[in-house]
Amino acid sequence: MSEPTASESRPYHHGDLRRALIDAARRLLEAEGPAALSLRAVAREAGVSPAAPYHHFKDKAQLLDAVADEGWLIMSRTLTEALSQAPAEDRLNPVMLAYVRFARERPALYRVMYDAARIKESLPLEASGGQDRAYERIRATVVEQGTQPTPLDVELAITAAWCAAHGLAEMAGFRQFEPLKSELGGEVPFLDAVLHHMGLYRSGRTA
Amino acid sequence: MSEPTASESRPYHHGDLRRALIDAARRLLEAEGPAALSLRAVAREAGVSPAAPYHHFKDKAQLLDAVADEGWLIMSRTLTEALSQAPAEDRLNPVMLAYVRFARERPALYRVMYDAARIKESLPLEASGGQDRAYERIRATVVEQGTQPTPLDVELAITAAWCAAHGLAEMAGFRQFEPLKSELGGEVPFLDAVLHHMGLYRSGRTA
DNA sequence: TGTACATCAGTGAACGCGCGTTCACTGATGTAC
DNA sequence: TGTACATCAGTGAACGCGCGTTCACTGATGTAC
């Protein structure tokens, strides 16, 4: 009876259901967490039937891959931006902080990104082809920043930085760190402080 | 017809089904990974009906918790042992290496341990009551090892070390590190080298 | 401009599956007398 | 030492659920002439 408004009326053909499904997946992740991310739930959230996604993705894994890929792409842009705004004499810390903040602000998405990588046993370093990629950002920063004697040391330092950022991103949510966070004035100062202390737990070094 | 052998005959009452279920879960983890760890699968592996575990655990989550707790207990023993064998002038690295090796040798168990912690949003630092606990090991080492000006620095350094170890444990399996591993002569030398490079990616410091 | 038709992108019902959990039950054990 | 009985620790069938995926279908779109 009532004439449908623009928002109510959805044409039979969606327009860009692939896009809409990925967006729906991200909305679900925010709201319900990774465990709620079934193919059916994503279709439901996007307002289509359970079979509709199969016109755009081979199976559930491929949909999750697409969500993860998009996550890594946004991550990459975030790091690039952090890099461009960082002072020349200290670039690594801002980039690492940007990495950890990205993960902490979207923990469910980050989980999906990492799970996808784990299934492939491979970080998405070669994804999406360009130079605009997260790993390249970190690598370039380490090479530029450090006084690394050998290429081997560069590789090891990159690995160490990446692991540190990942570890902090995964652990920052634990309750044990609440006192530390409030003492330092919030989560971001806490993250920054921990990053600055990476490597400072060794004897014979000072800040 | 045939008389059952000792291994075939299982009495109606199990003896210690709780123990047997945890062992079965760990066997399943080794063989099939964390995704295969359903309550029914554990019961199947232990050779009992799907309802039997409910006499020993309130629900599935409680069974998984018990598996995780046992994991953290073994971890703690491993770290204590590493600590006791380490030279006094460098204790932190051996302890961190022991942590990462433990996780890498039982990746599925480690996943369960961490997932349980994540659900509680809390590391199992207070579990099982004694001083024989993983966190205390790392803390004691950091305090003893470092030249930390303030208690705050000690806390931050502990957090940094723990995050670094966790991050490395989770990432060490990625294919990207294969070249590095074989160049260094295996996974353990690789892990050791990365740990030694934690903090060395900063400018102005040397090994 | 109009029409025929192939193709595309949805629907909705159905499939089989393994899951966590519950239930009434029964065999085995241990304790009181 | 023997018996009655409460309690413990299993069984196995059943429940409802949400899942991934398939299928025959149909409405909408776009292209050829």
Side-chain angles (χ1 to χ4, degrees), chain B residues 76-192:
Chain B
S76 180
R77 288 198 199 120
T78 306
L79 297 192
T80 303
E81 165 129 0
L83 195 56
S84 76
Q85 292 180 351
E89 71 277 9
D90 180 15
R91 286 193 154 156
L92 185 57
N93 272 304
V95 171
M96 289 177 78
L97 182 60
Y99 183 102
V100 179
R101 288 188 63 178
F102 178 94
R104 288 292 298 153
E105 283 162 11
R106 308 154 178 83
L109 176 60
Y110 187 70
R111 181 82 31 85
V112 169
M113 290 159 61
Y114 238 88
D115 284 349
R118 212 144 38 199
I119 289 166
K120 303 200 201 92
E121 292 181 342
S122 175
L123 287 164
L125 311 185
E126 294 80 16
S128 70
Q131 61 169 17
D132 180 43
R133 285 169 278 142
Y135 183 73
E136 301 304 333
R137 296 275 78 71
I138 289 186
R139 173 193 217 90
T141 305
V142 167
V143 171
E144 167 195 323
Q145 197 87 14
T147 53
Q148 304 299 338
T150 71
L152 182 66
D153 281 325
V154 172
E155 285 305 315
L156 287 170
I158 292 168
T159 304
W162 191 300
C163 290
H166 172 64
L168 179 54
E170 285 232 316
M171 305 212 5
F174 289 128
R175 287 196 217 288
Q176 275 83 14
F177 302 128
E178 287 303 327
L180 218 39
K181 281 185 203 170
S182 57
E183 187 171 356
L184 290 165
E187 174 157 314
V188 174
F190 164 77
L191 298 175
D192 200 39

Side-chain angles (χ1 to χ4, degrees), chain B residues 27 59 102 104 142 160 198 203 205:
Chain B
R27 251 178 285 130
D59 55 19
F102 178 94
R104 288 292 298 153
V142 167
M198 291 280 171
S203 60
R205 292 211 190 87

Side-chain angles (χ1 to χ4, degrees), chain A residues 19 25 31 56 85 110 152:
Chain A
R19 178 75 260 136
H56 302 271
Q85 292 180 352
Y110 187 69
L152 181 66

Side-chain angles (χ1 to χ4, degrees), chain A residues 121 153 175 195 197 202, chain B residues 121 153 175 195 197 202:
Chain A
E121 291 182 340
D153 282 325
R175 288 196 216 289
L195 287 175
H197 276 76
R202 291 163 180 290
Chain B
E121 292 181 342
D153 281 325
R175 287 196 217 288
L195 288 175
H197 276 76
R202 294 162 179 288

Side-chain angles (χ1 to χ4, degrees), chain A residues 1-150:
Chain A
M1 291 297 172
S2 67
E3 192 178 359
T5 68
S7 68
E8 281 171 0
S9 75
R10 215 180 32 78
Y12 187 91
H13 282 103
H14 190 284
D16 194 354
L17 182 56
R18 185 191 151 88
R19 178 75 260 136
L21 287 167
I22 293 173
D23 291 342
R26 293 196 46 196
R27 250 177 287 129
L28 264 177
L29 278 174
E30 295 279 322
E32 315 275 346
L37 206 64
S38 68
L39 207 173
R40 294 180 88 106
V42 173
R44 220 178 293 133
E45 171 73 22
V48 294
S49 75
Y54 286 90
H55 287 281
H56 302 271
F57 301 97
K58 185 177 130 277
D59 55 18
K60 184 193 177 184
Q62 207 172 84
L63 167 56
L64 292 191
D65 275 354
V67 174
D69 281 353
E70 180 158 299
W72 287 110
L73 185 65
I74 306 172
M75 169 75 95
S76 181
R77 288 198 199 119
T78 306
L79 297 192
T80 302
E81 164 129 358
L83 196 56
S84 75
Q85 292 180 352
E89 72 277 9
D90 180 15
R91 286 194 154 154
L92 184 57
N93 272 305
V95 171
M96 288 177 81
L97 183 60
Y99 183 101
V100 179
R101 289 188 62 179
F102 177 94
R104 287 292 298 153
E105 282 161 13
R106 308 154 179 82
L109 176 60
Y110 187 69
R111 182 80 32 84
V112 169
M113 289 158 62
Y114 237 89
D115 284 350
R118 213 146 34 198
I119 288 166
K120 302 198 201 93
E121 291 182 340
S122 175
L123 288 163
L125 312 185
E126 294 81 16
S128 71
Q131 61 169 20
D132 179 46
R133 283 169 280 142
Y135 182 73
E136 301 304 333
R137 296 277 78 70
I138 290 186
R139 171 192 219 91
T141 305
V142 167
V143 170
E144 167 195 324
Q145 198 89 13
T147 53
Q148 303 300 338
T150 70

